[in-house]
Amino acid sequence: WETYDIDGHDLDAVNDAISSAKASKNGKPKFIKCNTIIGKGMEETEGTNAAHGEAGVPYVDNAKANIGLPVDEKWYVSEGTRDFFKGVQEANSAKKAEWDATY
């Protein structure tokens, strides 16, 4: 195995590990271990299972502010993410229509 052990909160490290794994042609399977902290940014429940479920709900707005996300948007999706996926639904619908036509 070719393994990578990285900080899963560091998006540059994640990207670098993926790029390195793709570029490596040694024939070994690749494994990327992303170390993360459950509830990171939600000080009241960070590092505990309380970060998931109702126990963390009262702290969500503060957590969003801590990591720079807009507090007033319940489900924030960045423009970069929207741009990345733009046209995917249309392309997949066209492929499905082609497949459906074969039956």
Side-chain angles (χ1 to χ4, degrees), residues 6 12 19 24 26 32 47 51 59-60 64-65 90 92 94 98 102:
I6 62 169
D12 290 331
S19 296
S24 177
N26 62 12
I32 302 171
Y59 312 112
V60 170
K64 286 181 177 182
E90 292 84 6
N92 287 342
E98 287 176 26
T102 64

Side-chain angles (χ1 to χ4, degrees), residues 45-95:
T45 58
E46 187 173 292
T48 71
N49 65 347
H52 286 287
E54 289 185 41
V57 171
Y59 312 112
V60 170
D61 288 346
N62 190 41
K64 286 181 177 182
N66 286 343
I67 61 173
L69 294 179
V71 175
D72 58 334
E73 290 186 47
K74 184 170 182 159
W75 301 106
Y76 174 73
V77 179
S78 71
E79 286 303 314
T81 301
R82 290 181 192 278
D83 291 344
F84 181 81
F85 285 102
K86 190 178 286 183
V88 170
Q89 185 174 8
E90 292 84 6
N92 287 342
S93 292
K95 288 178 186 176

Side-chain angles (χ1 to χ4, degrees), residues 97-103:
E98 287 176 26
W99 182 79
D100 285 344
T102 64
Y103 293 97

